[in-house]
Amino acid sequence: MREHISGQYDNELGTIRAHLTEMAGLVERQLEHAGTALLQQAPEHADAVIRIDADVNRLEVVIDDLCSHIIVRRQPTASDLRFIMVTLKAITDLERIGDECSRIAKMATDLASRERVRERFTEFDDMTAGVTGMLRDALHAFFRVDTESAADVIARDKGVDRSYKAVMARLIPKMEQEPEAIRALLDLVWCARSLERIGDHAKNIAEYVIYLGHGQDIRHQPLETKQREAQNEPRSS
Amino acid sequence: MREHISGQYDNELGTIRAHLTEMAGLVERQLEHAGTALLQQAPEHADAVIRIDADVNRLEVVIDDLCSHIIVRRQPTASDLRFIMVTLKAITDLERIGDECSRIAKMATDLASRERVRERFTEFDDMTAGVTGMLRDALHAFFRVDTESAADVIARDKGVDRSYKAVMARLIPKMEQEPEAIRALLDLVWCARSLERIGDHAKNIAEYVIYLGHGQDIRHQPLETKQREAQNEPRSS
């Protein structure tokens, strides 16, 4: 009987992990489509982002329920509980990345219907590549509880923020010079902001990995502390 | 001994509730200062927002720790656990409201240093009053588990979204007509966006109240379902 219950418990944990993997994969696909929609002004990719979003939202609710259920019914061990707590946080960030991808998709569709902005803002290539890599590596670090890779993801957010500032510093004077292109330029401003936010969410996921590995909350701490923390031996649980 | 442990447990729950009340009060003050900083272009109020933000961030970490601790050590009852789970979610929204207030504060400071935008956008008065009321009532509903008030808060978010669209529909043509005022107008665009997001976070908090009262997750459901749900009898736990 005891073994039977423990088997159910393992099954439930496995189900949470499987759903989380599925949700993470969907959000990565959303980001890929959103990036293509933006960089290549390809509205069919924008449609794909919106289509996937319903599944992402559904999975957030399902995983949330499973986590609450396992905490109430199964009294998880401390280390399993830590995994469940960060899962609850990570799904919120994943869902918000999905929302930001949907915003980018809508802007990309808008942009495709407007007169094309002639100037090419290569900062968007950098930002898109930057946040796509951050999300991929944050998720990879999450599933392997790899605190060193997680610290690396956290450090890379500064680069995304730099690209964001750089593109804003070009977009704003452009708006002043070409007021007739303001709506298209404003769409680009929103896209830049959304990409920057996606970087923040990927950084959040990386921070949960450090907590998962060391049992310490490093949010709202300076970067040096985060890096030092990542180099420590994981605390046993 | 059993009584002693149960007394500690009640104390810990009480501490979480007290910290949450404190954090909620601080975020409400941040929003008040941010609104004044924006509407009256009063930079001293902007400073107050930023000052309070450090305490809000600290409280988020403290409450998060207390919640994790009580779940691991005390095996809370199903209804206490539901309260703890929504507290964990609510503090994330509160912290993000604090961040949006800080963004508004920075924009208000920027605006005060620029040439004043002559036109008055009264939509900001509506939005500020709207989200301030939503946050106050969402928090009030949260602490009393008042699902009817919560449903009312959820419904009011549509009004904030309408004001947001209305102000954007005025700001964008204005940017086209007065390119020399673009930076100031863009600051106002960011403020509008932040206010709209604060409305979303207040709505999230109201949705947790419905879950707390009925044990059902209503996120990503149409408004009618949310209202119907709020009118049902609370599910016993």
Side-chain angles (χ1 to χ4, degrees):
Chain A
M1 182 66 185
R2 201 174 172 76
E3 222 166 86
H4 178 64
I5 288 175
S6 149
Q8 280 180 346
Y9 170 67
D10 287 343
N11 275 348
E12 285 177 21
L13 269 183
T15 306
I16 291 173
R17 203 174 264 276
H19 281 307
L20 183 62
T21 309
E22 188 189 352
M23 185 180 179
L26 288 176
V27 174
E28 282 196 87
R29 273 177 49 205
Q30 279 190 298
L31 180 52
E32 224 169 277
H33 283 298
T36 312
L38 172 64
L39 298 178
Q40 302 173 17
Q41 305 220 343
E44 65 280 14
H45 285 275
D47 295 343
V49 176
I50 311 288
R51 231 177 9 251
I52 299 171
D53 209 43
D55 282 331
V56 169
N57 291 345
R58 183 185 52 78
L59 276 168
E60 187 198 5
V61 175
V62 169
I63 296 169
D64 199 294
D65 278 351
L66 288 170
C67 288
S68 304
H69 181 272
I70 206 169
I71 294 175
V72 184
R73 305 288 168 86
R74 305 288 184 202
Q75 295 161 13
T77 63
S79 82
D80 286 345
L81 190 75
R82 214 188 279 166
F83 166 73
I84 295 165
M85 303 295 279
V86 296
T87 296
L88 282 168
K89 289 178 192 293
I91 57 175
T92 305
D93 286 289
L94 285 171
E95 192 268 337
R96 299 222 164 120
I97 293 176
D99 284 348
E100 297 296 349
C101 289
S102 299
R103 287 197 183 96
I104 294 171
K106 279 177 203 141
M107 293 304 138
T109 310
D110 269 13
L111 277 166
S113 73
R114 296 186 200 286
E115 199 172 329
R116 199 174 279 257
V117 178
R118 282 173 310 276
E119 201 163 333
R120 177 128 179 83
F121 296 92
T122 50
E123 293 88 350
F124 281 105
D125 304 78
D126 300 342
M127 283 189 89
T128 304
V131 299
T132 303
M134 280 178 73
L135 178 62
R136 183 194 56 230
D137 295 344
L139 290 168
H140 207 222
F142 189 96
F143 287 110
R144 292 178 307 147
V145 195
D146 177 346
T147 54
E148 267 190 58
S149 302
D152 181 56
V153 171
I154 294 167
R156 274 145 62 193
D157 193 44
K158 292 244 183 257
V160 172
D161 289 348
R162 267 195 303 273
S163 301
Y164 171 72
K165 283 192 185 120
V167 78
M168 293 296 282
R170 286 180 63 200
L171 286 169
I172 295 172
K174 197 86 196 152
M175 291 167 94
E176 292 167 330
Q177 292 149 18
E178 297 181 24
E180 70 286 356
I182 276 184
R183 284 165 201 263
L185 292 163
L186 208 47
D187 282 345
L188 290 175
V189 164
W190 294 130
C191 288
R193 172 64 81 108
S194 284
L195 287 169
E196 188 262 339
R197 290 273 174 108
I198 292 171
D200 288 343
H201 289 296
K203 188 177 92 169
N204 288 346
I205 294 171
E207 288 183 353
Y208 308 146
V209 180
I210 312 270
Y211 168 78
L212 206 53
H214 302 293
Q216 185 160 343
D217 196 328
I218 59 156
R219 284 171 299 168
H220 311 303
Q221 285 188 20
L223 187 58
E224 300 68 45
T225 320
K226 295 177 188 184
Q227 282 165 335
R228 201 166 50 241
E229 191 58 36
Q231 281 150 13
N232 290 340
E233 286 300 298
R235 202 196 279 179
S236 64
S237 59
Chain B
M1 184 63 186
R2 198 172 174 78
E3 224 168 86
H4 177 64
I5 289 175
S6 149
Q8 281 181 345
Y9 171 66
D10 288 343
N11 275 346
E12 286 178 19
L13 269 184
T15 306
I16 290 173
R17 203 173 263 278
H19 281 307
L20 184 61
T21 309
E22 188 189 352
M23 185 179 180
L26 289 176
V27 173
E28 282 196 88
R29 274 177 50 206
Q30 279 190 298
L31 180 52
E32 224 169 277
H33 282 299
T36 312
L38 172 63
L39 298 178
Q40 301 173 16
Q41 305 219 345
E44 66 279 15
H45 286 274
D47 294 343
V49 176
I50 311 287
R51 231 178 9 252
I52 299 171
D53 209 44
D55 283 328
V56 169
N57 290 345
R58 183 185 50 78
L59 276 167
E60 187 198 6
V61 175
V62 169
I63 296 169
D64 200 294
D65 279 351
L66 287 170
C67 288
S68 304
H69 181 272
I70 206 169
I71 294 175
V72 185
R73 305 290 167 86
R74 305 290 185 200
Q75 295 160 11
T77 62
S79 81
D80 286 345
L81 189 75
R82 214 187 278 167
F83 166 74
I84 295 164
M85 303 294 278
V86 296
T87 297
L88 282 169
K89 289 177 191 293
I91 57 176
T92 306
D93 287 289
L94 285 172
E95 193 266 337
R96 299 221 165 123
I97 293 175
D99 284 348
E100 298 296 347
C101 288
S102 299
R103 287 198 182 97
I104 294 171
K106 279 178 204 139
M107 294 303 139
T109 309
D110 269 13
L111 277 166
S113 74
R114 295 187 201 287
E115 199 173 329
R116 199 175 280 256
V117 178
R118 284 173 308 277
E119 198 163 334
R120 178 130 178 80
F121 296 91
T122 50
E123 293 87 349
F124 282 105
D125 303 79
D126 299 342
M127 282 188 91
T128 304
V131 300
T132 304
M134 279 178 73
L135 178 62
R136 183 194 57 229
D137 295 343
L139 291 168
H140 206 222
F142 189 96
F143 286 111
R144 293 179 303 148
V145 196
D146 177 346
T147 54
E148 267 190 57
S149 303
D152 181 56
V153 171
I154 294 167
R156 274 145 63 192
D157 193 44
K158 293 245 182 254
V160 172
D161 289 349
R162 267 194 303 273
S163 301
Y164 171 72
K165 284 190 185 125
V167 78
M168 293 296 282
R170 286 181 63 201
L171 286 168
I172 296 173
K174 196 88 195 151
M175 290 168 94
E176 290 168 331
Q177 292 149 18
E178 297 180 25
E180 71 285 358
I182 276 183
R183 284 165 201 264
L185 291 164
L186 208 47
D187 281 345
L188 290 174
V189 164
W190 294 129
C191 288
R193 173 64 82 110
S194 284
L195 287 169
E196 188 262 340
R197 290 272 174 110
I198 291 171
D200 288 344
H201 288 297
K203 188 176 92 168
N204 288 346
I205 294 172
E207 289 184 352
Y208 307 146
V209 179
I210 312 269
Y211 169 78
L212 207 52
H214 303 293
Q216 185 159 343
D217 197 327
I218 60 155
R219 286 169 299 169
H220 311 304
Q221 285 186 20
L223 186 59
E224 299 68 44
T225 320
K226 294 176 188 183
Q227 281 164 335
R228 201 166 52 239
E229 191 58 36
Q231 281 149 13
N232 289 342
E233 286 300 300
R235 203 196 279 181
S236 63
S237 58

